[in-house]
Each structure stands twice: as structure tokens, then as C-alpha cells.
Amino acid sequence: MSTTAAKRRAGGLIDRRLASRVTATRRYLAMAVAVGLVATASVVAQAVLLATVVERVVLHRASLGAVVPELVGLAGAFAVRAACGWVGEAAAQRTSATVTSVLRRQLLRRALERGPTWLAGERAGELPLTATRGTAALDAYFGR
């Protein structure tokens, strides 16, 4: 394995240079882990409850009324899992918008600090392109 690939792997899912520029990524990562744990627990609960219902109905010939608590729990587990999906998506979208906004502000601030002489030496469309398309490309990166 090359040194670059090893560094990329060690760096994790989010580039450290980008993460160091925007503190919102830390909150998102913490929320993503928490939501992921709750979603995983709900999947396990769904599997256990579904197996219990099938086992009691098929093997023990239990009536529908006898498995109502398990069915209610199963519906609750489905609802929790759906809520986790929604919360995760909402957090990802909010973080993505925050990250791109912060990076655009930093880019503009840096360009203004360098002054009109520096700007005159740059290509006319390069800075606006970077500020729009370049940061918009990060939406998918941080949103997922």
C-alpha cells in the first residue's frame, strides 16, 4: 500500500484539512454516530420482535391477540428507525449548508485580504467559480 493511500485511510471519512476549517463537522460526526447507534438498536429490536412474533404464531399457534405487545413494539421500532433516517438526513443537510457557507466566507475574506492587486492578477472567472461550484461540490461530500 502506498504512503498516500495509507494516509488517506488513516484520515477517515472526512478530510482533516476541511474538518479543521469548520467546527460544524464535529457536531455532525457526533450526531451521526448517535443516530447510527439508535438506528442499529432499532434494527436489532425489529429482528428480535419479528422473530418472536413468527415463532409464537407459527410454532406455538398463538392468536393475534397474544402477540399484540410484540407487534406494537415492532411498529415502534419501525417508527424509531424512520425518525433516525429523517434526523440523520436533516443533520447532514444542515451541516453541508453550514460548511459551504463558512468556506465561502473564508474564501471571500482571504481574497479581500490579498487586495485588488492580487485580484487583478487572477483569472476573471476563477474565484467566482471556486466560490460557487467548488464549494457546492462539497455538499455531497459533507451531506453523506
Side-chain angles (χ1 to χ4, degrees):
M1 178 186 313
S2 71
T3 307
T4 306
K7 285 181 183 176
R8 200 174 299 133
R9 241 183 222 174
L13 296 175
I14 294 182
D15 188 287
R16 290 179 193 265
R17 292 172 297 171
L18 288 173
S20 69
R21 291 196 169 274
V22 183
T23 58
T25 57
R26 293 184 193 118
R27 286 185 302 233
Y28 168 67
L29 288 175
M31 183 177 283
V33 168
V35 168
L37 289 172
V38 173
T40 301
S42 70
V43 169
V44 171
Q46 287 173 357
V48 169
L49 289 166
L50 187 59
T52 301
V53 168
V54 169
E55 183 260 342
R56 289 183 65 196
V57 170
V58 173
L59 296 179
H60 301 291
R61 307 269 190 242
S63 68
L64 184 61
V67 292
V68 166
E70 288 85 359
L71 292 173
V72 169
L74 188 60
F78 275 111
V80 167
R81 186 173 172 199
C84 285
W86 182 83
V87 168
E89 284 294 318
Q93 293 302 317
R94 162 107 63 214
T95 301
S96 176
T98 301
V99 166
T100 55
S101 174
V102 166
L103 288 175
R104 282 182 182 134
R105 272 187 262 134
Q106 289 174 353
L107 178 65
L108 180 61
R109 188 178 313 122
R110 180 68 68 135
L112 290 174
E113 286 171 359
R114 291 188 176 202
T117 307
W118 177 80
L119 284 172
E122 294 298 309
R123 292 185 200 148
E126 196 170 304
L127 187 61
L129 185 65
T130 301
T132 54
R133 285 189 192 165
T135 55
L138 293 172
D139 279 338
Y141 182 73
F142 280 99
R144 297 286 163 213

